Amino acid sequence: MNSSRSLAELHSDFRSGSTTSMPVAGLVCWGLLGVAAQFLAPKVVGTLALYIMLGILPLAFLIDKLKGRNLFASNGNPLDRLFLSSIVGIGVTVPLVVIAASAAKAPDLVVLGMAILAGVIWIPYGWAAEDKAGMIHAVIRAVGCYAAYALAADAYRASAICAVVVASYIYTLIFMRKVGG
């Protein structure tokens, strides 16, 4: 990495290496989970939510591969490392979601927790890309998911949470700053 690059250059470089594959993959996976929640047992839906990144990440790689891009190709930008490190930071909090859901015997808490935690990654993304859509996505997603959890009927709670996540991805795809691919 050239240490003489300005922060503005690093932000621009981060955006040029970013793609829309992650929000598209997230939209697809959360949308499918929301539909599946109407047909599967709540414990199964909670388990699927726990592992949703195992669907999103490979799908994002596939989308980028089909576009001829390489998701997370290293270019030495420290903002890339910050963003990827943030994913690990969020990941270490996932057991808290599982413990809370188990203690409450409420598998919908896993859906709520994963929806919010997976949305938190948009905060460092927004900062690294110098894009306010990241923070807006994270906050609106969290508030919307809490509202869906509190207000939706039990039979529709998981689907309502997933619908909020899908809506936040649609917002982001429309309003995020232009990225590289």
Side-chain angles (χ1 to χ4, degrees):
M1 179 192 103
N2 179 352
S3 61
S4 65
R5 290 193 290 174
S6 70
L7 184 57
E9 291 170 322
L10 292 171
H11 284 301
S12 177
D13 182 54
F14 182 86
R15 272 191 313 280
S16 72
S18 296
T19 77
T20 57
S21 65
M22 287 293 278
V24 168
L27 185 149
V28 169
C29 290
W30 281 99
L32 289 172
L33 182 61
V35 171
Q38 291 306 297
F39 303 102
L40 299 174
K43 282 187 177 183
V44 173
V45 175
T47 300
L48 290 173
L50 184 62
Y51 296 104
I52 199 152
M53 286 306 293
L54 295 177
I56 294 172
L57 196 55
L59 182 56
F61 277 113
L62 177 63
I63 291 168
D64 264 7
K65 186 105 170 137
L66 293 172
K67 290 179 169 183
R69 293 185 54 94
N70 184 6
L71 186 64
F72 299 130
S74 179
N75 63 2
N77 188 333
L79 298 182
D80 289 326
R81 289 193 308 277
L82 172 67
F83 175 71
L84 293 172
S85 296
S86 297
I87 293 172
V88 174
I90 291 164
V92 300
T93 63
V94 170
L96 180 61
V97 170
V98 175
I99 292 166
S102 294
K105 296 185 183 358
D108 285 344
L109 281 177
V110 176
V111 179
L112 174 66
M114 291 307 296
I116 292 170
L117 288 177
V120 169
I121 195 59
W122 284 94
I123 296 170
Y125 173 86
W127 185 85
E130 207 172 23
D131 187 349
K132 66 181 179 180
M135 179 65 79
I136 293 169
H137 175 112
V139 172
I140 295 300
R141 179 171 167 163
V143 170
C145 286
Y146 284 126
Y149 184 84
L151 300 174
D154 289 352
Y156 302 106
R157 185 173 288 142
S159 292
I161 293 166
C162 293
V164 169
V165 174
V166 167
S168 64
Y169 278 124
I170 291 169
Y171 161 82
T172 301
L173 287 166
I174 293 169
F175 293 104
M176 70 191 292
R177 289 181 72 170
K178 184 172 173 20
V179 294

